[in-house]
Amino acid sequence: MTSFRTLDEAPVKGQRVLVRVDINVPMEDGKVTDATRIERVIPTLREISARGGKVVLLAHFGRPKGKREPKDSLAPVAKAVSAALGKPVAFADDCIGDVAAQAIAKLGEGDVLLLENTRFHAGEEKNDKAFVAELAKLGDLYVNDAFSAAHRAHASTEGLAHVLPAYVGRSMQAELDALRKGLEKPARPVVAIVGGAKVSTKLDLLENLVAKVDALVIGGGMANTFLHAEGVNIGKSLAEKDLADTARRVLSVAQEKNCAIILPVDGVVAYEFKAHAPHHAYGFDAVPTDGMILDVGPQSIERIKAAIDDAATIVWNGPLGAFELAPFDHGTVVAARHAAERTKQGKLVSIAGGGDTVAALHHAGVADDFTYVSTAGGAFLEWLEGKDLPGVSALKVP
Ligand code: 3PG
Ligand code: MG
């Protein structure tokens, strides 16, 4: 990581350290239901605190669009951060102005404070200079540990990096290291596995991947669009038939770039989109006209496993079938477990990300066995699309 300054170089002792975290966690009835994002930033907070820094956390929650929405308050999240950290986390009712300044003035070395939702101010999403200056007044140093918000060029994710000495936090550092292993400097062959419902939402991603990886496995609903474009009768399966030309274009670019495309060769077909619907595996010469393909079939699973065996690196985004409905989770689960097994044997670097994908890996019981699982949704996708992430770019040392 030569192009970034890490915490190793941050003189935090006695300093007010503004730490941008992404603790935009799912909540129900005022309780955090998945604390993964909180857990990921704990090492950074512990380290700064142990080295005598005053930790001032900046974060967003929900999409309040510049208004003070009580339902988007970070106050309940402060409690969850405190529980994960094992020490008190103070809370201030505003992220700028006297309220914030006074709370910070009370901090001793090693103390931790969370400021209220940055998105309660319109200047946050506008990356407004005056708002950046208001935030900057509160700190001596800036640490960004919010990779999953790095696709947003907001005041607290991007603007601050230009006005304070800026450093990469530990979870951002781990994320950047892992992603580099995934596409920038990967061990080859690299196989990308892309699933999910729609081609339309992942077109940029597919186009970027075919130019970079050695093979692309396509599964999930989006595979149906490709199959249809190739003339396969997919019955009543979910597909974007108007994107047939687009799908054919992706396939021809893949051919130009020497990227092998691995489409399913058979599918598990049901007549209703519901769990445990009666189902049967069919080859693609025989899909019933009133049937829906809800998962990859047994021969396809064997092909995908073989592709994983051939790979030194896999990058995975999106489930291979309707994984939320048993037993149509089968293909995704088998492939995930196979990748996990190869990873444990030291034969594979496996990198996965995106909300559904992480849920699928947890469901398969293998999230901890992958080399790296990104907690980022949009930011991971934009990285896969080859786009510049403003929150990351701003941290680069020229
Ligand atoms: C996320 O949950 O994906 C990040 O926290 C970014 O949130 P946003 O999509 O509302 O910008
Ligand atoms: Mg999002």
Side-chain angles (χ1 to χ4, degrees):
M1 296 251 301
T2 46
S3 51
F4 296 98
R5 274 192 293 250
T6 69
L7 280 187
D8 295 339
E9 298 165 66
V12 299
K13 184 157 173 62
Q15 302 294 298
R16 300 165 303 161
V17 187
L18 298 181
V19 185
R20 182 47 159 106
V21 289
D22 185 359
I23 46 177
N24 191 24
V25 287
M27 296 238 281
E28 258 167 52
D29 305 325
K31 290 249 174 348
V32 174
T33 54
D34 177 356
T36 308
R37 282 182 168 174
I38 293 174
E39 285 152 16
R40 291 276 174 108
V41 297
I42 294 298
T44 294
L45 312 192
R46 276 215 178 106
E47 181 174 342
I48 297 171
S49 168
R51 287 165 51 189
K54 300 173 182 176
V55 182
V56 180
L57 301 176
L58 294 171
H60 75 280
F61 193 77
R63 291 177 174 168
K65 297 266 163 238
K67 287 207 291 284
R68 188 172 264 279
E69 295 274 4
K71 71 166 178 32
D72 292 327
S73 172
L74 276 168
V77 186
K79 296 199 181 90
V81 177
S82 166
L85 194 58
K87 65 188 266 175
V89 172
F91 182 74
D93 224 16
D94 202 349
C95 65
I96 53 168
D98 289 344
V99 175
Q102 280 161 19
I104 292 169
K106 287 192 197 134
L107 296 178
E109 293 190 359
D111 288 348
V112 182
L113 165 72
L114 171 63
L115 301 180
E116 182 59 288
N117 199 341
T118 50
R119 288 188 185 171
F120 282 0
H121 294 273
E124 164 71 341
E125 295 195 50
K126 292 195 186 117
N127 203 357
D128 172 59
K129 277 215 165 74
F131 182 69
V132 173
E134 286 292 316
L135 291 173
K137 272 201 264 182
L138 303 171
D140 305 300
L141 309 176
Y142 169 69
V143 172
N144 189 343
D145 213 19
F147 177 81
S148 45
H151 55 319
R152 309 292 182 208
H154 296 171
S156 68
T157 61
E158 202 271 350
L160 274 177
H162 299 294
V163 297
L164 286 177
Y167 303 86
V168 168
R170 295 301 182 200
S171 89
M172 171 83 91
Q173 188 183 348
E175 189 97 33
L176 295 174
D177 278 345
L179 297 190
R180 254 218 285 238
K181 276 188 212 149
L183 283 189
E184 273 167 49
K185 292 206 165 77
R188 290 193 178 267
V190 188
V191 177
I193 302 178
V194 178
K198 288 187 173 171
V199 171
S200 51
T201 55
K202 293 195 181 167
L203 199 55
D204 289 350
L205 179 153
L206 293 168
E207 286 179 338
N208 184 47
L209 287 177
V210 294
K212 290 198 175 145
V213 303
D214 301 297
L216 172 64
V217 172
I218 302 174
M222 71 163 67
N224 300 333
T225 299
F226 281 90
L227 293 166
H228 167 75
E230 297 269 81
V232 172
N233 164 35
I234 56 168
K236 284 195 180 152
S237 304
L238 173 81
E240 293 166 289
K241 294 191 173 166
D242 52 326
L243 291 185
D245 283 342
T246 304
R248 280 190 289 264
R249 197 180 72 229
V250 170
L251 295 177
S252 81
V253 174
Q255 198 165 21
E256 255 166 57
K257 306 272 183 186
N258 280 321
C259 170
I261 297 283
I262 301 169
L263 276 167
V265 291
D266 57 353
V268 177
V269 173
Y271 301 89
E272 283 171 286
F273 191 78
K274 71 173 210 216
H276 305 290
H279 56 276
H280 195 278
Y282 288 95
F284 285 148
D285 52 349
V287 174
T289 45
D290 52 348
M292 282 179 289
I293 304 163
L294 294 187
D295 196 9
V296 287
Q299 290 181 47
S300 306
I301 294 175
E302 288 312 310
R303 283 192 70 173
I304 294 167
K305 282 166 72 178
I308 294 170
D309 288 340
D310 287 342
T313 304
I314 64 164
V315 179
W316 188 336
N317 174 262
L320 300 176
F323 88 102
E324 65 282 12
L325 306 177
F328 309 109
D329 57 344
H330 183 70
T332 304
V333 167
V334 171
R337 290 191 178 149
H338 191 70
E341 201 46 52
R342 298 280 300 174
T343 306
K344 281 199 277 186
Q345 290 166 5
K347 292 177 175 147
L348 182 68
V349 172
S350 50
I351 295 162
D356 275 359
T357 315
V358 177
L361 296 184
H362 279 293
H363 172 73
V366 298
D368 294 338
D369 298 327
F370 268 53
T371 309
Y372 193 78
V373 178
S374 175
T375 60
F380 184 79
L381 288 180
E382 291 195 21
W383 170 78
L384 278 186
E385 288 163 3
K387 292 189 178 140
D388 208 40
L389 301 178
V392 173
S393 299
L395 294 167
K396 285 193 180 137
V397 181

